[in-house]
Amino acid sequence: MALTSEGLDGLIQRLRRIETDLVPALAAAVYQRAQRVMTASRPEVPVRNRWGGTLRASGMVLPPEITGAQIAVTFGYGGAAARYAAAVHENPRAGHTGGVSPSGHKYTAWSEVGKYHFLSDPMKEVMATYPADMAATVRDILQRHTRP
């Protein structure tokens, strides 16, 4: 079977249409995945007893940024609570101190709920199916473009 210039032109056009559909579809899939991570993490975010939820309320997912074939989605916690977020994310006692330090001193402020790794643990869970889900997205797009 020979590939004519007309056939090659058609193939190139089809590949361009696939590329046009593929990047936005993958960007939407990555954005939805980030939203799932944030939804799963929200109940695990430590909440300080006196300042009531600044860290939890700071959760955000920004729209995808597409540069060529690169897709980036920024998500997480921080804002006004950025220092607190960094401190409690890596503290295994976060949300479990009862307001008392390991040496027995009472804290003036502490997390009454939540846990450490409040973002990374849900991310690991949600991302476990990432390769298969992205492959399915690509497969769906390719199938749409191979139908006559």
Side-chain angles (χ1 to χ4, degrees):
M1 180 191 302
L3 184 60
T4 65
S5 63
E6 292 164 355
L8 184 58
D9 289 342
L11 176 62
I12 290 170
Q13 288 175 356
R14 182 176 282 181
L15 289 173
R16 285 189 178 136
R17 283 194 306 270
I18 290 170
E19 180 183 20
T20 300
D21 288 352
L22 186 61
V23 174
L26 289 175
V30 171
Y31 181 72
Q32 290 167 353
R33 174 97 22 179
Q35 289 177 318
R36 285 178 45 203
V37 170
M38 293 304 289
T39 299
S41 71
R42 188 170 167 73
E44 298 184 5
V45 175
V47 176
R48 272 187 166 177
N49 62 332
R50 291 190 185 178
W51 291 281
T54 303
L55 176 58
R56 185 179 284 171
S58 73
M60 54 82 190
V61 180
L62 299 180
E65 293 181 22
I66 301 171
T67 306
Q70 297 285 331
I71 301 165
V73 175
T74 301
F75 64 100
Y77 295 92
R83 288 182 53 211
Y84 179 63
V88 297
H89 190 269
E90 299 304 320
N91 180 355
R93 297 186 73 237
H96 302 285
T97 66
V100 180
S101 75
S103 61
H105 293 96
K106 290 237 178 226
Y107 293 130
T108 56
W110 67 92
S111 300
E112 295 177 338
V113 298
K115 66 184 227 30
Y116 85 125
H117 291 177
F118 55 88
L119 184 58
S120 61
D121 285 350
M123 186 166 167
K124 286 175 192 170
E125 291 172 21
V126 170
M127 296 303 286
T129 60
Y130 181 79
D133 293 346
M134 291 299 113
T137 300
V138 170
R139 190 171 37 257
D140 290 347
I141 291 167
L142 292 175
Q143 287 176 346
R144 263 188 268 143
H145 284 281
T146 56
R147 294 184 188 123

